[in-house]
């Protein structure tokens, strides 16, 4: 059976108490950090100084999701901070395979993200260069949105590709992941799950355990 990874999104955490909030999710596999520049998406979140500080205090690895323009310039700089993983958007990158190599050379895992409207065939030829594929299950930009089941066929295509190529790529979903939707995403082939409000609105350790169990019941 596939390993199940739960990466809570700190977009749903208390921004004034990040160190405490990271401590509350230390049973998770990683903390998902959404970097938004108010250009690629209509929201502004964290920059490099904030990520550097989070990296110092977090008890779990940081899984960065760059929703920004010009990731070719910025992704390697974030990778140099010692984070676990850097995911950038295919739609924003000019040389995705080169950028993936650059991120890996700096010691981070390289991930590529697709917006809901971007078809799988746009990344298929390049996927061998990546450690993770993030299939957005909402339009990127804001937390708390409703899960889009219409993205599941794309996830199935990715899982089929991984099987065919005997790839160990991680398949991540982000957006509207909750106890109601995680089973659907796991059944379609996801193994790495970003959940925000579903984790932070209750007791995080309990929510993480429940999400992990539900995903495991549907995993391949």
């Amino acid at each position: 059976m596939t390993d199940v990874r739960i990466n809570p999104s700190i977009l749903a955490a208390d921004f004034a108490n990040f160190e405490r909030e990271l401590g509350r999710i230390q049973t998770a596999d990683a903390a998902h950090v959404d970097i938004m520049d108010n250009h690629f998406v209509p929201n502004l979140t964290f920059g490099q100084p904030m990520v550097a500080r989070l990296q110092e205090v977090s008890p779990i690895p940081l899984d960065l999701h760059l929703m920004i323009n010009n990731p070719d310039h910025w992704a390697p700089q974030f990778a140099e901070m010692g984070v676990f993983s850097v995911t950038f958007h295919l739609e924003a990158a000019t040389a995705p395979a080169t950028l993936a190599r650059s991120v890996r050379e700096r010691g981070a895992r390289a991930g590529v993200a697709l917006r809901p409207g971007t078809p799988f065939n746009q990344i298929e030829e390049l996927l061998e260069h990546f450690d993770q594929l993030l299939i957005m299950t909402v339009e990127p930009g804001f937390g708390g949105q409703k899960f889009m089941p219409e993205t599941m066929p794309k996830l199935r295509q990715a899982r089929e590709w991984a099987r065919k190529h005997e790839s160990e790529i991680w398949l991540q979903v982000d957006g509207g992941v909750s106890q109601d939707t995680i089973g659907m995403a796991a059944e379609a082939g996801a193994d790495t799950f970003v959940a925000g409000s579903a984790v932070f609105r209750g007791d995080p350790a309990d929510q993480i355990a429940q999400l992990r169990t539900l995903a495991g019941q549907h995993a391949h």
Side-chain angles (χ1 to χ4, degrees):
M1 193 182 79
T2 312
D3 288 334
V4 168
R5 288 170 286 272
I6 308 294
N7 298 6
S9 168
I10 64 168
L11 204 56
D14 175 2
F15 285 10
N17 293 284
F18 270 137
E19 188 169 5
R20 185 197 70 197
E21 296 285 76
L22 287 163
R24 292 173 72 214
I25 60 168
Q26 59 189 309
T27 56
D29 296 275
H32 190 80
V33 183
D34 292 301
I35 314 290
M36 307 186 199
D37 63 358
N38 212 24
H39 293 284
F40 183 71
V41 289
N43 196 1
L44 186 65
T45 57
F46 320 114
Q48 285 175 300
M50 184 66 142
V51 171
R53 190 72 185 107
L54 292 171
Q55 177 68 11
E56 286 173 1
V57 301
S58 179
I60 54 177
L62 298 187
D63 170 34
L64 303 193
H65 177 193
L66 308 187
M67 292 177 251
I68 61 175
N69 286 340
N70 198 11
D72 302 80
H73 173 74
W74 294 109
Q77 295 191 25
F78 279 108
E80 277 173 1
M81 294 181 169
V83 299
F84 176 69
S85 178
V86 177
T87 296
F88 57 84
H89 268 266
L90 178 67
E91 304 89 356
T94 52
T98 304
L99 185 52
R101 193 176 314 118
S102 182
V103 166
R104 283 171 156 178
E105 283 169 356
R106 285 159 176 79
R109 287 171 61 88
V112 62
L114 304 181
R115 295 182 99 132
T118 304
F120 178 71
N121 63 17
Q122 287 196 17
I123 190 61
E124 191 170 1
E125 297 297 310
L126 299 173
L127 214 45
E128 66 190 278
H129 300 284
F130 291 92
D131 302 296
Q132 175 168 275
L133 171 64
L134 167 52
I135 290 178
M136 292 298 298
T137 41
V138 297
E139 275 299 338
F142 292 91
Q145 296 187 70
K146 197 165 164 20
F147 183 87
M148 297 168 68
E150 59 269 34
T151 56
M152 292 300 95
K154 181 161 49 174
L155 185 51
R156 286 195 181 88
Q157 284 179 289
R159 176 52 67 201
E160 197 47 50
W161 179 93
R163 266 201 206 101
K164 196 163 78 182
H165 293 83
E166 299 183 345
S167 167
E168 297 194 355
I169 192 167
W170 293 3
L171 299 181
Q172 186 177 71
V173 285
D174 178 6
V177 174
S178 68
Q179 293 182 16
D180 296 330
T181 58
I182 196 166
M184 193 191 314
E187 190 275 324
D191 52 36
T192 307
F193 305 87
V194 177
S197 41
V199 167
F200 282 101
R201 69 168 169 239
D203 171 69
D206 183 47
Q207 299 299 323
I208 289 163
Q210 288 189 42
L211 289 168
R212 208 187 289 285
T213 299
L214 285 165
Q217 287 169 356
H218 293 86
H220 292 268

